[in-house]
Each structure stands twice: as C-alpha cells, then as structure tokens.
Amino acid sequence: VFSPIREFSGKIAVLQRAAASLDQIFGLLAHQEADALEGPGATPLPGASRPIALRDVRFGYSRGHDVLQGLDLRIEPGQVVAVVGRTGSGKSTLARLLLRVYSGYRGSIRIGDIELSNLSARSVREAIGLVAQDVILFPGDVRFNLTLGAPISDLALAEAIRLASADAVVERLGGLGGRIEHAGANLSVGEAQLLAFARVLAHDPPMVILDEATAAVDTLTEAAIQRATEALLARKTVLVIAHRLTTVARADRIAVIHEGRVVESGTHAELLAAGGRYADLVAHALENAR
C-alpha cells in the first residue's frame, strides 16, 4: 500500500505544477493588448519612413533605478545609426522601447510628429522590423516562417530570399514548402539568421532594428550574413545595436551610450580621432579578436 501512495503523492505534485503553468499560459492567451488609443493613436502609423526623435528619455525596470537616464537621439529617414556601449548601458532597452515591448518611459519618443505612447503597438511593429540574435522560428514550412501569415506573393518571397543571400538555405530545405523543425532545430545559427533577414525584407518595413543580429553566426555563413546586412543598410532606415565592427563602421552616425546617456556621437573616423570611449571600445574589440 505504501508504494502506490508515495507514487500517487508524486503525481499530485506534478499536477500542481502543471496547473500553475496552465494558469500562466491561459492568462497570456487571454491577454488583450490595447491596440487603438484615443487621439492620434486611432490612426495607424503611415508606412513611409519618418524621423525618430528621442529627447530626455528615462526608463527603469525597477523603481528608483533608471537604465536610460536622459537619452537623446535622432534618426533621420534613410539613415543608418549605430548604438554602441558596454553591456548594461541600455542599448537593447532602447530597441524594446521603440517596438512598444515596454511602456512607462518618461521624456519624449516621437515618430514623425506623433508621440510613441499615442500609437498602437500593432502599427508601430508593422513599421519597424527586428532582426535579433535569437531568431524565433516555428514548426512548419519555409513560406509560413517568412510571411507569418501575411499575404506576400511567392515572387516577393523569392526576391527577399535572394537579397538576404538565403538561396542555398531555402534550397537545402526543399524550397518554400520545405519543413522547418521546432525552434529551427534543422538549421545552423547562421542559416536561421539568414531566414530572419529574408523575413524582414519580405515584409518590407520602412525601418529595421538590428539587435546584436550577427553576434553568434558560424564562419560558413559569415559572408552571406554580411551581404544580407548590406542589403538592409542600402534600402532602409536602420538602427544597429552594436555587434560587428564592420557594420558599425559603415553607419552614417555612431552614438556611444554610457550609463543610459549618449556621451559621444559622430562617424567612425571622427570618434576614433577623438580618442574617447568609442576608441576604447574599438581597441578592446581588436584586442579580443587576436
């Protein structure tokens, strides 16, 4: 009698953990994000590229400790702006604020003449594409992972795949109908990144954020990743969260963030000549590459 009772008590613990997990899952599925606000937010953000201006932006994950401490930055349409800084300086936080992942910032973030907090999250995310270090892929065919259900023609998908230098990856998988396993298990890190570039190019948003997008690629696809990056830089307004020095050096302007503020701004050559924090970061990166 004792052994079955002990086994049964173990099963009760499993069921309790499962019930707690289901509560969280159902809560997430039931969450309704506020998608239309009063005033200017009722109108979707126009598709054309617009300047983005951040003035005295402050934001913290916990009360009393701000990660961004008065950040000022402006991104003009068609411009490539790179943001660099040491870990914890607020680079990725900036990207998440622009994508409306987080709210509750102080100061001003304006896209064109509209405050970001007055725009619906849907319209902002349709206007800003993201290529992150951790690519999210779904079990299914290549076509769905590129379109995510949007009505994009196969011709447009083929052009996006070509621009992203992902031809070989898609061909190996068996074309647009080829199967992608859960979390991209049948792809290398670099191949998944190429599909992420193709996805953004297929949706054709006016602005793109590259958040450490090529920080962990394998050497076999490094050249293809660089070509895909150049295709984006040539066609979009791009905010680059620093990863590879080659991409950062090609930016129209580089902003150096330290303790939540922009402390230096200029071109690669100007900042190197100034001999400040950017020059220190470059020297450190070159030392690690040896």
Side-chain angles (χ1 to χ4, degrees):
V1 174
F2 176 74
S3 293
I5 291 175
R6 184 174 59 182
E7 185 176 345
F8 180 70
S9 65
K11 294 295 187 291
I12 290 177
V14 171
L15 289 171
Q16 288 176 333
R17 288 196 296 270
S21 298
L22 284 172
D23 283 341
Q24 292 183 344
I25 292 171
F26 290 145
L28 177 63
L29 294 175
H31 176 69
Q32 296 294 323
E33 187 170 34
D35 195 40
L37 304 175
E38 298 297 328
T43 303
L45 183 67
S49 185
R50 292 180 164 207
I52 297 178
L54 297 90
R55 295 189 61 185
D56 195 29
V57 175
R58 299 173 184 271
F59 176 81
Y61 296 99
S62 59
R63 185 181 298 275
H65 178 69
D66 284 345
V67 177
L68 301 181
Q69 303 180 30
L71 187 141
D72 296 308
L73 184 67
R74 185 175 178 87
I75 307 170
E76 297 292 345
Q79 193 176 47
V80 178
V81 175
V83 175
V84 302
R86 298 192 182 279
T87 302
S89 59
K91 304 186 301 297
S92 293
T93 298
L94 168 61
R96 290 166 187 152
L97 285 177
L98 289 175
L99 288 167
R100 291 291 307 273
V101 176
Y102 299 130
S103 58
Y105 66 87
R106 287 113 56 209
S108 175
I109 303 176
R110 301 183 74 84
I111 300 181
D113 56 354
I114 306 175
E115 185 66 31
L116 181 65
S117 58
N118 291 331
L119 291 166
S120 69
R122 179 184 295 274
S123 67
V124 171
R125 292 167 192 166
E126 287 176 350
I128 303 177
L130 173 68
V131 182
Q133 180 177 347
D134 298 321
V135 179
I136 297 176
L137 295 171
F138 302 95
D141 58 24
V142 174
R143 181 182 288 103
F144 174 76
N145 274 278
L146 295 183
T147 65
L148 300 179
I152 302 174
S153 69
D154 286 359
L155 187 63
L157 289 178
E159 176 65 8
I161 291 167
R162 183 188 67 79
L163 287 171
S165 300
D167 314 67
V169 180
V170 175
E171 184 178 351
R172 181 179 72 77
L173 292 171
L176 291 174
R179 179 78 181 175
I180 293 179
E181 296 179 6
H182 177 71
N186 56 335
L187 296 168
S188 70
V189 174
E191 289 174 331
Q193 287 289 359
L194 289 175
L195 290 181
F197 276 94
R199 177 192 291 168
V200 169
L201 287 165
H203 285 263
D204 199 29
M207 180 179 176
V208 175
I209 296 175
L210 303 182
D211 187 2
E212 301 286 356
T214 59
V217 300
D218 50 85
T219 55
L220 292 177
T221 53
E222 182 174 358
I225 288 284
Q226 190 59 37
R227 290 195 298 271
T229 303
E230 290 172 356
L232 275 178
L233 298 184
R235 296 161 58 96
K236 305 290 181 185
T237 302
V238 183
L239 175 65
V240 180
I241 307 298
H243 45 286
R244 292 180 184 265
L245 183 60
T246 51
T247 305
V248 173
R250 294 183 65 252
D252 299 313
R253 186 160 54 87
I254 301 168
V256 183
I257 295 183
H258 179 66
E259 296 182 350
R261 294 186 180 90
V262 175
V263 294
E264 290 181 338
S265 181
T267 65
H268 175 71
E270 290 170 349
L271 293 178
L272 280 182
R277 291 190 178 275
Y278 180 74
D280 291 342
L281 290 170
V282 172
H284 183 68
L286 293 175
E287 183 67 25
N288 288 341
R290 291 177 182 173

